[in-house]
Amino acid sequence: MSDQPTYRGSCFCGDVQFTVTGEPDAMGYCHCESCRRWSAGPVNAFTLWKPDAVEVTRGADNVATYNKTPASYRKWCKTCGGHVFTDHPTMGLTDVYAAVIPDFPFRPAIHVHYQETVLPIKDGLTKMKDVPAEMGGSGETLPE
């Protein structure tokens, strides 16, 4: 992976630092109630990576985990409470929140769980009712 781009990120205080290498499998916005409550915002910008593309370079022992469901292991810094990742073991992917990778060129392509939106967004991107079929969802799309 050394010839691929690497981007640095961190939690709010910087005690947890990490890199992501290469390109994510997907980028977009999640509108589900769990992500809204976790991010304290109306929508969460995600980047989904293979787990081996994500490396905690500092503060691994300072990362706490909460799993509301077996599908999502949400991770944050024990010092500042800053959210950094969600591991999705059933998908084999790690969501690194776009906001914590400041120099990464975020190019969203999709909205997921749009049936739960509280902030309709008219940006021309595909609006999935839940998630794509290849990720275990219905694959249904919704109008903007």
Side-chain angles (χ1 to χ4, degrees):
M1 281 199 217
S2 62
D3 61 337
Q4 296 184 25
T6 296
Y7 303 93
R8 297 178 188 277
S10 71
C11 64
F12 189 57
C13 72
D15 280 359
V16 175
Q17 297 179 14
F18 60 89
T19 59
V20 290
T21 301
E23 294 294 324
D25 282 16
M27 293 183 262
Y29 300 105
C30 185
H31 296 260
C32 81
E33 191 250 350
S34 288
C35 282
R36 289 196 319 268
R37 292 183 70 192
W38 179 252
S39 69
V43 66
N44 185 53
F46 66 82
T47 63
L48 295 175
W49 304 79
K50 295 279 191 262
D52 64 353
V54 180
E55 180 184 1
V56 176
T57 58
R58 179 175 155 194
D61 59 337
N62 203 35
V63 175
T65 303
Y66 173 74
N67 51 309
K68 181 179 177 183
T69 71
S72 298
Y73 290 69
R74 297 176 188 274
K75 305 197 179 257
W76 72 93
C77 171
K78 293 178 190 177
T79 302
C80 67
H83 301 175
V84 285
F85 318 114
T86 296
D87 287 334
H88 294 290
T90 56
M91 292 190 294
L93 296 168
T94 298
D95 175 3
V96 180
Y97 312 127
V100 299
I101 324 168
D103 296 327
F104 179 74
F106 181 64
R107 292 180 300 277
I110 193 169
H111 291 261
V112 297
H113 295 288
Y114 202 69
Q115 86 283 359
E116 297 181 44
T117 194
V118 297
L119 179 67
I121 299 173
K122 295 186 185 293
D123 59 5
L125 299 179
T126 300
K127 310 297 190 287
M128 301 298 304
K129 176 181 177 184
D130 41 41
V131 296
E134 58 271 18
M135 296 175 84
S138 69
E140 292 179 48
T141 60
L142 298 173
E144 276 196 331

